[in-house]
C-alpha cells in the first residue's frame, strides 16, 4: 500500500512539473493562484495518505509486538521529527516571501538612489534571518 502511495505522489510531482514546462514552452498564461492551489491540494492529499498509512503501520506493529514500541522510533520521536521539519520548512517559505518583497523593493529604491544600498541590504538580511530562526528552533526540537 505504501509503495502505491509513493508512486502516486511521485506521479503527481512529475506531472505537475511536466505540465508547467509545457505551459511555459507554449507561452500559456493563466491564473497562477488557481494552478498553485491545485498543485498544493494534490500534494496535501498525498501527505494525508502518507500519515494515514504510516499511523496504521505503527498501530499494527504495536499490536503484533504486544507492547507500545519494542524497537525503533516511538510515536513521540516521529512527531519530534515532523515538528522539526515543519519549523524549518515553514520558516523557509516565509523567508522566500519576505525576501521576494523586500528584495524587489530594495532594488527599486537603489535604482532611484544608489547611496542607500547599505540600508536596503540590512532589510533583506533581516528577512533572511527568519530561516535561521526556523533552523535554530528545529535544532532545539531535535536535541533538547
Amino acid at each position: 500500500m505504501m509503495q502505491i502511495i509513493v508512486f502516486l505522489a511521485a506521479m503527481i510531482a512529475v506531472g505537475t512539473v511536466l505540465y508547467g514546462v509545457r505551459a511555459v514552452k507554449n507561452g500559456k498564461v493563466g491564473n497562477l493562484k488557481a494552478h498553485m492551489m491545485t498543485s498544493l491540494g494534490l500534494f496535501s492529499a498525498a501527505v494525508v495518505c502518507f500519515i494515514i498509512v504510516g499511523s496504521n503501520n505503527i498501530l499494527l506493529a504495536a499490536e503484533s509486538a504486544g507492547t507500545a514500541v519494542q524497537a525503533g522510533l516511538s510515536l513521540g520521536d516521529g512527531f519530534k521529527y515532523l515538528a522539526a521539519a515543519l519549523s524549518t520548512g515553514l520558516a523557509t517559505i516565509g523567508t522566500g516571501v519576505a525576501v521576494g518583497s523586500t528584495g524587489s523593493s530594495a532594488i527599486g529604491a537603489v535604482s532611484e538612489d544608489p547611496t542607500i544600498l547599505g540600508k536596503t541590504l540590512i532589510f533583506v538580511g533581516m528577512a533572511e534571518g527568519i530561516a535561521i530562526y526556523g533552523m535554530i528552533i528545529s535544532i532545539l526540537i531535535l536535541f533538547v
Side-chain angles (χ1 to χ4, degrees):
M1 180 70 174
M2 188 68 137
Q3 291 85 8
I4 294 171
I5 293 175
V6 169
F7 177 74
L8 288 176
M11 292 306 297
I12 289 170
V14 168
T16 303
V17 170
L18 291 177
Y19 177 76
V21 168
R22 191 181 77 192
V24 168
K25 282 185 179 179
N26 293 337
K28 194 178 216 182
V29 295
N31 189 357
L32 181 64
K33 187 178 272 188
H35 295 299
M36 288 295 293
M37 292 308 290
T38 303
S39 179
L40 185 63
L42 291 172
F43 177 73
S44 300
V47 168
V48 167
C49 290
F50 277 126
I51 291 172
I52 290 171
V53 169
S55 64
N56 285 339
N57 288 341
I58 290 172
L59 293 176
L60 290 175
E63 287 177 7
S64 66
T67 61
V69 174
Q70 247 181 356
L73 297 176
S74 68
L75 190 59
D77 287 337
F79 283 130
K80 178 174 70 170
Y81 292 127
L82 181 64
L86 282 175
S87 69
T88 302
L90 293 175
T92 306
I93 290 171
T95 298
V97 171
V99 168
S101 62
T102 58
S104 64
S105 300
I107 289 172
V110 169
S111 67
E112 290 180 11
D113 185 12
T115 62
I116 61 170
L117 176 65
K119 292 178 185 175
T120 59
L121 287 178
I122 292 172
F123 291 118
V124 175
M126 287 173 57
E128 289 177 2
I130 299 170
I132 295 170
Y133 296 140
M135 187 181 66
I136 289 170
I137 295 298
S138 65
I139 289 171
L140 287 174
I141 289 171
L142 290 175
F143 296 114
V144 175

